[in-house]
Amino acid sequence: MTSLWRAVRGRSEARSISTIEDYAAALQESLGYHGWSPLGFTQTQPGQAAEKAPTDLVGYAQMFATNPVIWACMVARMAVFSAPRFQWQRLNNGQPSETFGTSDLAPLERPWLGGTTQDLLNRMIQDADLAGNSYWTLFNGEMVRLRPDWVQIVLERRMHPHGGHLGWTRYGYLYQEPGCDPVFLWPEEVAHFAPTPDPLATFRGMSWLTPVIRETQADNMMAAHKKKFMENAATPNMVVRLAREVTPDAFAKFKDKMEASHRGVENAYKTLYLGGGADVTVVGRDFQQLDFSKTQGAGETRIAAAGGVPPIIVGLSEGLQAATYSNYGQARRRFADGTIHPLWQNAAGSLEHLVAPPDGLGQAVRLWYDANGVPFLREDRKDAAEIQGIQSRTIRALVDAGYTPESIQRAVRSEDWALLVHTGMFSVQLQKPGSGSGAPAADPPTPEEGA
């Protein structure tokens, strides 16, 4: 292992491993693994050298295209997540302050020819929802999407100074399209958006659809049940009895005529006429007896909960049963505060190193999101205005009480009254009778000064 670690330790000064093939060869030679694929990082035994790309993206994409509940939840997430703009946010003494834009944000505002920030964010959240990960790199001034199931995260062991291994570090990313040569990218060249960490991986994310696969299957079976119900009859099933004397040929003719006249949704609810000796018995339960809507609604709610989307937001049945303006407002606040804002913060942090900060600012700014123009949050803007009104009245009262304006701003912003600093000056209302204004009187001018 010595030759490999000499190579990776020298990465900060000079990267002696210039290609992924060099890294794969060194790793395979040092660790003694054989029989790998040409990528060299497909084994999943303890001591793995890469976190494999997810193989379930295609299946999850089919779920998105065929399941209306998943479609509604993902589209709701996309609609709100893609609405803000990216801005620089100034940091004053570590505290977030004003936001502003510069031309350095052009790759995020026009990520590709004809693309917008909304297109970029739509793709990011869609990849994260389906694969748990979204990968982007900046190439020739354009943001390039790396399909998640074609990306592997290349790892290297972290060596403790006193000996032994101490977990893994991220060495880079390996991207390979089918039938093409692999492309290796360093960590600083890739924006990796993984909002939900995979508990069995170090850096890879996990799709929120993973825990609800069974619920999705059950919801699909419910839809198939409704389809079969409509195709076969107006009730789940029927048994038709004929007299023993009926010959097989007569029975076959009766069956054909019965199905031709009464099978299928177009024949539902027709009056059924039977000849002598025929008896019809309904077997099974109809939808009302099965409590179908409640059974299906419970599964829909569990899917929506996994996606962090309140059912009332996407119009699911269980959410609409309690639909009032007040309930919708509470659900909207839960969706915005508990789901969307954390995703925005994660996305801004993931993309930050792909765009250069304004000259001379460096650590004094960070990439942030501007949600002022998001229609979904207009009621939040009203609440924010009310909070600012309360804060402004507090500032006015503290200024009148004699505290310094600078300390008042720090105290109100951090909600720490210990930061208040008094000027020593008091208002007239706080002075003792006959003590004057509280400020020391000035000496009378001398005759020379008066002259």
Side-chain angles (χ1 to χ4, degrees):
M1 298 176 66
T2 305
S3 61
L4 174 63
W5 299 129
R6 277 202 299 264
V8 297
R9 284 172 182 167
R11 173 185 164 196
S12 59
E13 293 79 18
R15 287 167 171 158
S16 58
I17 299 178
S18 58
T19 66
I20 191 60
E21 289 81 2
D22 297 339
Y23 182 80
L27 187 64
Q28 183 167 345
E29 178 182 356
S30 300
L31 300 183
Y33 291 142
H34 301 283
W36 285 13
S37 73
L39 297 185
F41 303 105
T42 58
Q43 61 94 19
T44 57
Q45 302 297 324
Q48 63 182 21
E51 290 182 353
K52 295 180 63 178
T55 58
D56 46 14
L57 176 62
V58 175
Y60 284 170
Q62 292 175 349
M63 291 166 55
F64 170 63
T66 58
N67 187 285
V69 181
I70 291 176
W71 171 278
C73 292
M74 288 184 57
V75 168
R77 287 163 61 96
M78 292 167 62
V80 183
F81 179 80
S82 63
R85 301 169 57 244
F86 285 109
Q87 295 274 276
W88 295 113
Q89 186 175 55
R90 199 181 304 275
L91 300 176
N92 292 330
N93 296 322
Q95 292 292 330
S97 183
E98 62 178 346
T99 60
F100 61 96
T102 66
S103 59
D104 302 290
L105 297 174
L108 304 182
E109 295 172 350
R110 293 291 183 267
W112 53 83
L113 183 62
T116 63
T117 302
Q118 188 173 24
D119 296 325
L120 172 66
L121 292 177
N122 272 330
R123 275 296 195 177
M124 286 185 66
I125 192 64
Q126 187 181 66
D127 282 348
D129 284 352
L130 296 178
N133 305 270
S134 182
Y135 304 97
W136 296 83
T137 188
L138 190 62
F139 184 75
N140 290 337
E142 288 193 0
M143 296 291 292
V144 180
R145 170 184 175 256
L146 308 178
R147 184 166 146 169
D149 56 340
W150 296 342
V151 177
Q152 295 191 59
I153 306 173
V154 183
L155 307 178
E156 64 183 14
R157 281 198 179 278
R158 184 185 291 109
M159 302 297 295
H160 194 274
H162 301 298
H165 299 150
L166 192 64
W168 300 89
T169 61
R170 182 165 24 195
Y171 187 77
Y173 295 87
L174 187 67
Y175 174 75
Q176 184 177 20
E177 299 181 3
C180 300
D181 294 334
V183 177
F184 180 76
L185 299 167
W186 298 109
E188 58 268 25
E189 297 177 294
V190 177
H192 182 189
F193 176 57
T196 304
D198 187 335
L200 300 180
T202 305
F203 301 102
R204 189 182 60 226
M206 183 181 74
S207 168
W208 65 266
L209 296 175
T210 302
V212 293
I213 290 179
R214 292 182 179 177
E215 294 295 340
T216 303
Q217 293 172 339
D219 189 76
N220 290 338
M221 286 189 287
M222 288 282 188
H225 181 81
K226 289 187 293 185
K227 180 174 180 290
K228 290 299 181 183
F229 178 85
M230 296 302 180
E231 287 179 350
N232 293 324
T235 56
N237 43 57
M238 294 186 300
V239 174
V240 180
R241 296 185 181 89
L242 298 177
R244 296 181 181 178
E245 293 79 10
V246 177
T247 64
D249 292 339
F251 174 79
K253 291 180 181 179
F254 177 84
K255 176 177 175 297
D256 294 340
K257 188 173 182 179
M258 177 86 174
E259 291 184 348
S261 302
H262 295 279
R263 184 172 182 174
V265 66
E266 66 278 1
N267 294 317
Y269 310 112
K270 283 185 176 180
T271 303
L272 181 62
Y273 299 96
L274 299 174
D279 180 31
V280 175
T281 302
V282 177
V283 179
R285 297 176 179 269
D286 58 25
F287 285 164
Q288 184 175 3
Q289 291 170 322
L290 287 172
D291 207 353
F292 190 86
S293 61
K294 183 178 293 186
T295 303
Q296 188 175 34
E300 293 173 349
T301 301
R302 284 191 286 268
I303 294 175
V309 185
I312 191 175
I313 296 294
V314 291
L316 298 180
S317 58
E318 288 199 355
L320 294 177
Q321 291 175 3
T324 64
Y325 184 80
S326 175
N327 290 346
Y328 182 85
Q330 294 173 359
R332 181 199 56 77
R333 177 67 60 83
R334 157 63 184 86
F335 184 43
D337 295 348
T339 301
I340 299 300
H341 278 290
L343 290 173
W344 281 336
Q345 295 171 14
N346 196 323
S350 300
L351 293 168
E352 184 175 20
H353 63 274
L354 292 186
V355 289
D359 294 337
L361 295 180
Q363 299 297 322
V365 297
R366 67 174 178 178
L367 183 65
W368 204 240
Y369 61 93
D370 180 10
N372 289 334
V374 179
F376 192 77
L377 302 181
R378 282 175 180 166
E379 291 188 16
D380 290 345
R381 298 292 301 162
K382 177 182 177 182
D383 294 341
E386 292 177 353
I387 293 173
Q388 288 179 340
I390 296 173
Q391 290 177 336
S392 66
R393 292 190 290 272
T394 302
I395 291 173
R396 172 63 185 272
L398 292 173
V399 169
D400 292 344
Y403 293 96
T404 63
E406 295 79 7
S407 68
I408 293 173
Q409 292 181 13
R410 292 195 298 269
V412 171
R413 183 170 55 241
S414 61
E415 299 181 359
D416 184 1
W417 300 116
L419 297 176
L420 290 173
V421 177
H422 204 276
T423 61
M425 306 293 289
F426 298 93
S427 65
V428 175
Q429 289 82 358
L430 296 178
Q431 304 301 316
K432 294 181 179 180
S435 63
S437 63
D443 294 333
T446 64
E448 292 78 7
E449 291 174 337

